[in-house]
Amino acid sequence: MTTTSNTPPPVAAPAHTQTKATKLTGGHGDKIHRPSWFARIVVGILCFVWIVPTVGLLVTSFRGPEDALTSGWWTALASPFDLTQWTIANYSEVWTEGGMGRAFLNSFVVSVPATIIPIMIAAFAAYAFTFMEFRGRDVLFVVIVGLLVVPNQVALVPLLRIYSDLGLNGTFLSVWLAHAGFGMPLAIYILRNYMATLPRGIIESAKVDGANHFATFWRLIVPMSVPALASFAIFQFLWVWNDLLIALVFLGTGDNAVVTVNVASLVGSQGQGWQLLTAGAFLSMVVPLLVFVSLQRYFVRGLTAGSVKG
């Protein structure tokens, strides 16, 4: 004997309703909060205010000194296809006569080692603070992180005296050591927080297989810590490249002058040659922009790692 049920079958929601629900929830049940028009307007205004000076700097760098003195940079945008108002003489003079070419090379010589040295040391230290047990580990970590609140300026005079006694003033080694020391606390803090999020089961498996700490560090921890390493590399490189104080104190304005010191010396004491400042300043911005844009995804992933659990 066959029985029938009077319960009607479930009716599927219309396709357009499902699509709308999927868009609102993001397909995973999490509601997406779209920004309001007020937030969009505020962000747009902030971006406009931030970009306008950069655009003005770029436009002025391609104008002659007479045009820059007699009219504002925005007047050149009225007829942008008038090639008579544009020139690359500022860039040519800055690169050759202004010494920007040598300064670029010096900046790379300073920035690359000053970025690699603290990364290597901080990675070993972060591994020790995360996966090794020793007496006073937490206290030592707190002391190192506490150095972040110490201004770099308070150490310049003692370092200058020490370097003078060792004969290191005016050498690239002095700047490498200074930047490595100043960047070490932040590097250890970022890398340690990231390594703390790595699964400890992998480390335990490596110990069972007979791997020592050195093998575990190079074969497991370093490959898994690429986002954090890249994020700090960007941070450290931008800091060293844009630094003026440390480079000016330990290298001076001679043949070892870096880009920032060279740009600061383009304008004379009477304000002459200020049109070269725009070209030199824009040249000094190119490398940091390329580095940040090309490695931006690593920068965000490395800084946000470990901030949220689960």
Side-chain angles (χ1 to χ4, degrees):
M1 182 175 182
T2 306
T3 59
T4 58
S5 176
N6 295 328
T7 303
V11 180
H16 67 276
T17 305
Q18 294 179 355
T19 304
K20 184 177 180 180
T22 303
K23 291 181 179 179
L24 290 176
T25 60
H28 301 283
D30 298 329
K31 187 175 180 181
I32 298 176
H33 299 280
R34 300 184 181 277
S36 62
W37 284 106
F38 177 76
R40 295 180 182 181
I41 293 175
V42 171
V43 172
I45 293 175
L46 292 177
C47 293
F48 178 79
V49 173
W50 187 269
I51 292 175
V52 165
T54 305
V55 175
L57 187 70
L58 177 63
V59 172
T60 305
S61 66
F62 286 101
R63 305 185 73 196
E66 296 181 359
D67 295 336
L69 287 173
T70 56
S71 60
W73 61 268
W74 53 89
T75 59
L77 301 180
S79 55
F81 298 103
D82 184 10
L83 301 181
T84 58
Q85 63 178 344
W86 306 111
T87 179
I88 60 173
N90 294 333
Y91 287 93
S92 177
E93 185 174 354
V94 166
W95 189 263
T96 56
E97 299 180 9
M100 186 61 71
R102 177 184 293 274
F104 248 81
L105 180 60
N106 293 337
S107 289
F108 276 108
V109 172
V110 170
S111 301
V112 174
T115 302
I116 296 177
I117 293 174
I119 286 180
M120 293 180 60
I121 301 176
F124 283 107
Y127 175 85
F129 284 122
T130 307
F131 300 107
M132 298 177 65
E133 297 288 342
F134 55 91
R135 182 177 299 178
R137 183 185 66 173
D138 296 336
V139 175
L140 182 59
F141 179 74
V142 171
V143 171
I144 292 176
V145 175
L147 294 176
L148 289 172
V149 302
V150 179
N152 298 337
Q153 290 79 2
V154 301
L156 292 181
V157 174
L159 283 178
L160 192 62
R161 297 184 63 178
I162 294 173
Y163 289 162
S164 178
D165 295 337
L166 298 176
L168 296 179
N169 282 337
T171 63
F172 292 119
L173 180 60
S174 62
V175 184
W176 296 342
L177 296 176
H179 280 300
F182 293 148
M184 199 70 65
L186 181 61
I188 295 176
Y189 178 74
I190 292 176
L191 296 179
R192 190 263 182 185
N193 287 347
Y194 185 88
M195 291 181 184
T197 63
L198 300 178
R200 291 185 175 269
I202 299 179
I203 309 301
E204 298 298 332
S205 300
K207 291 181 179 179
V208 172
D209 293 338
N212 55 18
H213 286 294
F214 189 79
T216 303
F217 174 78
W218 282 111
R219 297 184 180 182
L220 294 178
I221 301 302
V222 170
M224 291 189 297
S225 302
V226 169
L229 294 172
S231 66
F232 176 74
I234 298 171
F235 195 89
Q236 179 73 1
F237 183 87
L238 296 181
W239 177 36
V240 176
W241 183 274
N242 295 324
D243 170 72
L244 172 63
L245 179 61
I246 297 177
L248 184 61
V249 170
F250 296 115
L251 291 180
T253 58
D255 294 335
N256 293 337
V258 297
V259 168
T260 52
V261 177
N262 184 267
V263 170
S265 63
L266 289 176
V267 180
S269 59
Q270 302 297 326
Q272 65 273 19
W274 72 269
Q275 73 279 1
L276 303 178
L277 183 63
T278 57
F282 197 82
L283 284 175
S284 66
M285 295 166 50
V286 173
V287 174
L289 286 175
L290 292 178
V291 171
F292 183 80
V293 171
S294 60
L295 300 177
Q296 182 181 7
R297 59 192 182 98
Y298 293 109
F299 184 75
V300 175
R301 287 174 57 189
L303 290 183
T304 57
S307 59
V308 179
K309 291 185 177 181

